[in-house]
Amino acid sequence: QYVAIPSGVDTAALAASAPDRPTARRALGLPADAAVIVGVGRLVPVKGFDVLVAALPKVGAAVPSARLLLVGDGPERPAIESLARGLGVADRLTVTGARSDVTPYLAAADVLAAPSRNEGMGRVLIEAMALGVPVVAARVGGIPSVLGGGRFGRLVEPDAPDAMADALTALLGDPALRVQLAEAGRRRAGDFTVEVMTSRLIRLYEELAEARFLGVVRETRGIE
């Protein structure tokens, strides 16, 4: 009755336009030695960025250089910034506002965090993986499929700040693990390119056209 074909991402153009990490950090005013967590999306409840901010005190206690960049804007921004102040981590949080190009922020990141309460595919996951940025994401919607059940990124339960904090801390504290996930993520991003999407769409149309043709042939023979 249906076939799922994920949206394609122009990973080659993305990689070609991305600055290297030191350049990206200098442009954004980030310390070279900071442990940078990036979240990208509208600041609305379904994206779960309050969960990410709630995880920040625990992450900061284990990784003193931890910084969180939320790239986006929305109605939850005042509540998120208030939560950070209440938790004593406002100095670790930067909310950038809406940005038309998130590539420099991904290029500057050590980890992408996606704490969504629901998500279809999560295009930014593919973008991060294509740039070799490890991903920690909530086990909701289409995210587990994109991350191969956890083979290409870390999955945590939604609405679980402690679990998010533990996963982020583990990655930030283990450069070898980040490299491993970065390499796995780059390979996985290759399954979500524009070329793969186009090829799958063409193949689907061909199969439907063939099925329609065969159906017409059978109907004609039945009349005869």
Side-chain angles (χ1 to χ4, degrees):
Q1 295 295 317
Y2 64 88
V3 174
I5 299 178
S7 299
V9 176
D10 192 346
T11 56
L14 181 71
S17 68
D20 59 37
R21 182 170 296 174
T23 301
R25 291 194 172 193
R26 282 195 300 270
L28 297 175
L30 292 169
D33 59 351
V36 179
I37 305 160
V38 169
V40 178
R42 290 193 67 225
L43 305 187
V44 292
V46 72
K47 291 298 185 180
F49 290 126
D50 56 311
V51 176
L52 188 52
V53 172
L56 198 50
K58 188 174 183 180
V59 175
V63 184
S65 64
R67 297 279 300 274
L68 171 60
L69 296 184
L70 293 183
V71 185
D73 212 339
E76 289 294 298
R77 180 171 181 170
I80 286 171
E81 292 176 331
S82 176
L83 176 62
R85 289 192 296 271
L87 294 172
V89 292
D91 60 331
R92 296 185 182 275
L93 171 67
T94 300
V95 180
T96 69
R99 293 290 184 269
S100 59
D101 182 10
V102 303
T103 306
Y105 297 92
L106 293 175
D110 289 297
V111 181
L112 174 81
S116 301
R117 294 183 169 96
N118 192 25
E119 195 72 62
M121 181 184 85
R123 183 183 180 88
V124 72
L125 304 182
I126 309 302
E127 293 173 339
M129 289 191 293
L131 295 179
V133 179
V135 173
V136 175
R139 193 187 301 273
V140 297
I143 290 176
S145 177
V146 171
L147 296 184
R151 288 180 293 136
F152 306 108
R154 288 291 178 263
L155 290 167
V156 299
E157 294 306 308
D159 273 310
D162 281 348
M164 176 62 72
D166 290 343
L168 290 171
T169 299
L171 271 177
L172 293 174
D174 190 338
L177 178 58
R178 292 201 304 275
V179 169
Q180 177 186 330
L181 285 180
E183 292 173 351
R186 283 194 182 96
R187 292 195 302 271
R188 180 58 168 165
D191 295 333
F192 293 87
T193 64
V194 173
E195 292 77 15
V196 168
M197 178 191 71
T198 303
S199 175
R200 292 182 66 183
L201 282 170
I202 291 172
R203 186 163 63 248
L204 175 61
Y205 287 138
E206 290 173 342
E207 290 171 356
L208 291 172
E210 182 180 0
R212 176 60 178 162
F213 172 76
L214 292 175
V216 169
V217 170
R218 291 191 190 100
E219 289 175 6
T220 302
R221 288 176 176 173
I223 293 172
E224 293 175 349

